[in-house]
Amino acid sequence: MDKNSKRREALLYHAKPTPGKIQVVPTKKYATQRDLSLAYSPGVAEPCLEIAKDVNNVYKYTAKGNLVAVITNGTAVLGLGDIGPEASKPVMEGKGLLFKIFADIDVFDIEIDTKNIEEFIQTVKNIAPTFGGINLEDIKAPESFEIERRLVEELNIPVMHDDQHGTAIISAAALINALELADKKPEDVKVVVSGAGSAALACADLYRLLGVKMDNIFMFNSKGLLTQKNTSLSELQQKYAKDMESINLQQALVGADVFIGLSSGNIMSAQMLLGMADNPIVFAMANPTPEIDYNLAIQTRKDIIMATGRSDHPNQVNNVLGFPYIFRGALDVRATKINEAMKMAAVKALASLAKESVPEQVNVAYGATKLVFGREYIIPKPFDPRLISIVAPAVARAAMDSGVAQHPITDWNKYEEELMERLGNDNKMLRMITNKAKMDPKRIVFAEAEHLDVLKAAQIVYEEAIAIPILLGNKEIILELMQELGFDADIEIIDPKEKEEEGRRKRFAEAHWGSRKRRGISLYDAERLMRERNYFAAMMVNVGEADGLVAGHTRSYPTVVKPMLQLIGKAHRASIVATTNLMMSARGPMFFSDTAINIDPTADELAKIALMTAKTARMFGVQPVIAMVSYSNFGSSVDPKATKIRDAVALLHEHHPDLIVDGEIQSDFALNPEMLKEKFPFSKLAGKKVNTLIFPNLDAANITYKLLKELNKVESIGPIMMGMDKPVHIFQLGASVEEMVNMATIAVLDAQEKGKKKK
């Protein structure tokens, strides 16, 4: 995508369909006059009076306890500098979005139009009663230090400048583990810090709490080593100034154990790295270009332990590992501040989590067979679902132990369960599977590429490095649309009808005829079919010229399924082909089956669909908990429509006793653990959170998932084909660009999975 196209896409993302990235959503009913009279006058007077009696009741009756202000004056925005409060608003909204999706914290972003420290502080103090916490953001140093110090002292709610402390907390956790792997002690190591801004100073301060000695920290700014002769240093920088003659970075790195980079790209050479001590620890955190290239560093020193700020290398130092969960823990105990004890608790929790066994869904997300604590895994991954239930409680405990908690937690098991419920509608699943696809992109055929939306989807998967698209359709139209979209890429474009494809058509036709000649297909028929893009695409996958395909945007599902079943067929040992939809629901990811193929499956077929869906769920790192749903509950009906579900469950219990599956059961009981446990405590689902529903027929499954998608705006990925020999996935007619991108991502994951089995 050219620069203008990227700019246009970014602007459209922020402008449409509703300007901005966050909104206010009511949490109470408001449909009737009675509801409104409770929400406002006269009912609202009652909580007001209770708060007037005891100000702490504000947490009981309002949203204050889960509301954080993200506040800036726009003086140090990302890499944009002093762009002003209005121009900083998209970034602050983005920070609000991260708070919400990672820790379920609501945010109002506040942009203050002043560079005067006193005015800024007074403004924040004046609005502080609205909020449970204050996240200061993108305020330039040294003003940011004084602003944070004063607000922490003068307010009785948590205040943190994430730019200062976020990187410090995450990198300190990584440093603990890196030192352990290097068999070194904090008090013995020499640390060289490139950068002397707010993040670098916060890092150095926190490392000292770990045991690193002040005398062993050598800090550089753009002018060189901080020395006492430099009179331009701020008060906070002066404490790291050395009483010595200035030396350059290369000289400082001789014998150094640790390099901390918070400056600019490519300032560290291979020669400098060679001068460091054994098992050098290098955190090159400049973004997007680290202080030393990752590949150069690991080639130069085989004993290196390295972290960067980039997601495409091991050990990413990412602030999202910290701030959502630090504020979550602070809010949940109504902490009056975020103190050093709470920051250190977050550090130690992150360091310890990296040593625990990694959930399969994290391995899936990062394309790893098994992530294990070691040089390439010293800090948790941002997609790790355990972060909220590990870091937030650690911070909350530290707040209680250090005497700043006003609402102590007593039932920690219940608290951790509540935290896991806050993970967000998509439970990070979509981000995880996209990340997994990017680890090993595959060649995916887009069979209807001359249609604008299909081509847009292909453009996105190409530019996001999710897949390598192969475009089928009228070449002239495709090229014209590509120019219109700014899709400038060297991509294979094939028109199955063109003369230049005659040889390939003939080869495909002969292969197809060879497999179907005893099933009524003549060579002439096969040659004719190869002019149709869906047949041509299927043969490309069949003969290994592509790894997978997606199709169906402009045709009905049965029309597209037919050639796939004829040309590709079922996987080895698969006696049935079915589909499942991955639904990103409010309770987390759920699988619905069969949504597209089997009209009225038998009990045996339902059992097989359940097994296939369980296997698919595991491919996404989800341990399946399956409800076989019906209008009936455990024998309450003797109608054949209900008894076939019962028979399917019996088959599964007999032949797959370890599978967590039960039924027949009504959907409300399946999805309500309290109701289920009370009425049917004998069920294998009692006490479990159901994440997979197997429906009795196509009507029920298809109608249900489409209703949820349209009425509740639940994101749906699918139908995902199960039981096919090759990665083939078919859109529903008229699928959106986003849905097609998601299906192409699934095709890549499917190809990755099938590729493993061949090895």
Side-chain angles (χ1 to χ4, degrees):
M1 184 184 286
D2 61 32
K3 188 175 180 180
N4 285 335
S5 296
K6 286 184 178 178
R7 177 177 177 275
R8 183 170 64 249
E9 184 179 19
L11 293 175
L12 281 171
Y13 172 84
H14 284 82
K16 302 290 184 181
T18 302
K21 297 190 284 285
I22 57 177
Q23 65 178 344
V24 176
V25 177
T27 60
K28 298 293 190 292
K29 294 185 296 180
Y30 52 89
T32 67
Q33 183 60 40
R34 180 174 178 274
D35 294 335
L36 295 177
S37 70
L38 290 170
Y40 200 54
S41 181
V44 74
E46 299 305 327
C48 292
L49 292 171
E50 291 301 306
I51 296 167
K53 291 176 190 175
D54 180 355
V55 72
N56 288 317
N57 281 332
V58 70
Y59 288 97
K60 184 175 181 180
Y61 297 114
T62 77
K64 177 183 173 84
N66 196 50
L67 186 61
V68 165
V70 174
I71 303 181
T72 190
N73 59 2
T75 52
V77 180
L78 296 175
L80 304 174
D82 184 355
I83 59 174
E86 290 88 355
S88 73
K89 187 172 175 63
V91 179
M92 301 310 114
E93 287 186 353
K95 190 67 176 280
L97 185 147
L98 295 178
F99 266 112
K100 187 64 178 178
I101 65 175
F102 282 98
D104 192 29
I105 293 172
D106 296 319
V107 163
F108 288 160
D109 61 292
I110 309 289
E111 293 76 35
I112 300 176
D113 189 11
T114 183
K115 295 181 182 179
N116 181 282
I117 290 177
E118 287 301 324
E119 287 182 358
F120 189 101
I121 291 170
Q122 197 56 50
T123 301
V124 176
K125 288 175 65 177
N126 287 340
I127 65 173
T130 304
F131 301 100
I134 304 289
N135 180 93
L136 300 172
E137 193 79 12
D138 292 352
I139 305 165
K140 78 179 183 70
E143 291 91 332
S144 60
F145 299 118
E146 179 65 9
I147 287 170
E148 185 191 40
R149 183 189 69 77
R150 288 270 308 277
L151 289 173
V152 168
E153 286 180 1
E154 297 173 26
L155 290 176
N156 67 345
I157 57 174
V159 176
M160 188 173 82
H161 188 205
D162 186 48
D163 298 329
Q164 287 176 221
H165 303 292
T167 300
I169 290 165
I170 312 310
S171 65
L175 184 59
I176 289 174
N177 287 337
L179 288 172
E180 180 181 325
L181 291 167
D183 195 22
K184 296 179 181 182
K185 296 179 179 178
E187 59 268 25
D188 297 333
V189 295
K190 176 183 177 182
V191 178
V192 176
V193 182
S194 176
S198 58
L201 290 164
C203 284
D205 288 347
L206 202 51
Y207 300 165
R208 285 169 54 211
L209 291 179
L210 296 178
V212 176
K213 293 179 179 177
M214 174 79 86
D215 290 345
N216 290 342
I217 298 174
F218 295 78
M219 187 173 289
F220 285 75
N221 64 14
S222 59
K223 296 176 183 176
L225 180 70
L226 303 192
T227 68
Q228 293 179 5
K229 291 181 179 180
N230 190 335
T231 57
S232 65
L233 301 181
S234 70
E235 182 181 342
L236 293 170
Q237 290 171 329
Q238 285 170 13
K239 66 183 178 182
Y240 289 103
K242 298 295 184 188
D243 184 13
M244 59 184 286
E245 292 299 319
S246 183
I247 57 176
N248 61 34
L249 187 60
Q250 182 164 350
Q251 291 169 321
L253 282 168
V254 174
D257 301 283
V258 180
F259 171 79
I260 302 297
L262 289 157
S263 50
S264 54
N266 296 322
I267 63 164
M268 185 183 189
S269 67
Q271 193 64 34
M272 293 180 189
L273 179 56
L274 287 169
M276 292 183 70
D278 291 343
N279 293 307
I281 297 167
V282 175
F283 293 173
M285 296 179 283
N287 237 340
T289 306
E291 282 79 2
I292 182 170
D293 178 72
Y294 175 80
N295 293 320
L296 172 62
I298 62 173
Q299 288 165 10
T300 302
R301 293 288 297 262
K302 301 301 180 187
D303 59 343
I304 192 172
I305 302 170
M306 187 169 181
T308 71
R310 293 177 60 110
S311 61
D312 54 349
H313 300 314
N315 302 323
Q316 183 192 15
V317 178
N318 188 331
N319 283 18
V320 82
L321 289 168
F323 71 82
Y325 315 114
I326 293 167
F327 272 95
R328 180 76 273 158
L331 292 173
D332 291 338
V333 293
R334 297 183 195 167
T336 56
K337 61 184 60 180
I338 294 172
N339 57 26
E340 296 307 309
M342 295 160 74
K343 294 172 195 170
M344 189 54 67
V347 169
K348 292 179 178 177
L350 287 166
S352 296
L353 183 57
K355 298 177 184 177
E356 301 292 331
S357 297
V358 176
E360 184 56 26
Q361 66 189 94
V362 180
N363 288 319
V364 167
Y366 290 92
T369 303
K370 189 172 179 61
L371 287 168
V372 179
F373 176 64
R375 290 172 184 261
E376 295 193 346
Y377 181 63
I378 58 174
I379 41 177
K381 299 290 189 181
F383 292 148
D384 195 321
R386 301 169 299 171
L387 285 162
I388 193 170
S389 62
I390 298 295
V391 180
V395 172
R397 284 181 191 274
M400 290 165 58
D401 293 343
S402 60
V404 299
Q406 299 179 98
H407 184 69
I409 292 167
T410 54
D411 188 339
W412 290 96
N413 289 332
K414 182 180 178 183
Y415 177 53
E416 289 178 16
E417 288 175 9
E418 290 170 352
L419 289 172
M420 293 306 292
E421 290 296 322
R422 289 182 176 275
L423 277 177
N425 287 0
D426 66 353
N427 199 18
K428 304 184 181 73
M429 178 64 72
L430 187 54
R431 297 188 295 280
M432 290 174 70
I433 63 178
T434 301
N435 195 69
K436 169 77 160 54
K438 289 181 177 184
M439 297 287 180
D440 184 19
K442 299 296 183 183
R443 300 165 299 167
I444 303 299
V445 181
F446 285 75
E448 300 153 302
E450 64 194 29
H451 294 272
L452 183 62
D453 282 354
V454 177
L455 193 59
K456 282 182 182 176
Q459 180 180 18
I460 291 169
V461 300
Y462 173 79
E463 290 173 351
E464 293 297 315
I466 294 168
I468 303 159
I470 300 170
L471 309 177
L472 260 59
N474 185 296
K475 222 178 241 187
E476 190 175 326
I477 294 174
I478 291 172
L479 288 170
E480 186 178 319
L481 289 174
M482 286 179 73
Q483 187 173 8
E484 181 182 324
L485 292 172
F487 188 3
D488 184 18
D490 184 16
I491 289 178
E492 188 174 7
I493 303 172
I494 300 169
D495 185 346
K497 296 180 180 179
E498 281 192 349
K499 186 172 180 61
E500 64 187 61
E501 294 299 331
E502 188 174 347
R504 184 149 42 178
R505 281 199 307 270
K506 186 173 179 60
R507 179 161 47 86
F508 286 177
E510 288 174 351
H512 179 47
W513 178 62
S515 65
R516 302 280 296 183
K517 59 189 176 186
R518 292 184 179 274
R519 297 188 182 184
I521 295 289
S522 67
L523 181 57
Y524 172 79
D525 291 332
E527 288 174 346
R528 177 178 51 80
L529 289 173
M530 289 311 129
R531 299 177 70 87
E532 295 185 20
R533 63 192 67 176
N534 286 329
Y535 283 87
F536 191 94
M539 285 305 300
M540 285 190 74
V541 176
N542 244 353
V543 302
E545 293 184 15
D547 300 306
L549 73 85
V550 287
H553 177 66
T554 62
R555 297 189 180 189
S556 68
Y557 202 91
T559 305
V560 186
V561 165
K562 183 180 177 182
M564 306 308 159
L565 293 174
Q566 286 182 350
L567 275 71
I568 292 176
K570 301 183 189 75
H572 180 57
R573 293 183 180 173
S575 60
I576 188 173
V577 172
T579 61
T580 189
N581 275 64
L582 174 54
M583 309 296 292
M584 304 302 188
S585 75
R587 57 185 284 127
M590 295 199 68
F591 294 86
F592 286 12
S593 303
D594 171 17
T595 51
I597 292 183
N598 296 281
I599 296 173
D600 189 15
T602 64
D604 182 61
E605 288 170 337
L606 282 172
K608 288 172 180 173
I609 290 168
L611 290 172
M612 293 165 73
T613 308
K615 184 179 177 183
T616 301
R618 293 189 192 102
M619 186 177 87
F620 290 98
V622 175
Q623 189 58 37
V625 179
I626 305 171
M628 308 284 281
V629 293
S630 172
Y631 67 87
S632 170
N633 281 316
F634 299 107
S636 63
S637 170
V638 294
D639 187 271
K641 290 183 177 66
T643 57
K644 77 168 181 178
I645 312 292
R646 206 172 312 147
D647 293 342
V649 171
L651 286 170
L652 291 167
H653 283 178
E654 180 182 355
H655 298 291
H656 303 275
D658 295 334
L659 187 66
I660 303 172
V661 58
D662 215 342
E664 82 281 17
I665 186 170
Q666 292 175 359
S667 57
D668 54 350
F669 282 101
L671 298 176
N672 189 319
E674 288 77 22
M675 284 174 56
L676 177 61
K677 192 172 182 179
E678 181 186 347
K679 295 293 184 183
F680 308 110
F682 56 84
S683 172
K684 290 182 77 170
L685 302 177
K688 306 284 195 311
K689 184 177 178 180
V690 169
N691 55 32
T692 303
L693 300 181
I694 308 299
F695 291 85
N697 54 49
L698 183 57
D699 275 348
N702 192 272
I703 291 168
T704 301
Y705 103 76
K706 288 189 174 181
L707 277 174
L708 281 175
K709 186 163 74 85
E710 295 303 322
L711 292 181
N712 284 4
K713 302 303 177 186
V714 173
E715 187 160 10
S716 168
I717 301 178
I720 301 168
M721 294 278 281
M722 305 181 296
M724 293 292 287
D725 191 43
K726 307 281 184 182
V728 171
H729 295 282
I730 300 166
F731 313 130
Q732 288 285 356
L733 180 67
S736 69
V737 172
E738 187 176 18
E739 287 171 328
M740 289 187 278
V741 170
N742 290 340
M743 287 298 284
T745 305
I746 296 298
V748 173
L749 296 189
D750 195 5
Q752 290 174 350
E753 198 70 16
K754 286 180 165 66
K756 286 181 192 173
K757 293 173 184 175
K758 291 180 180 178
K759 292 180 180 177

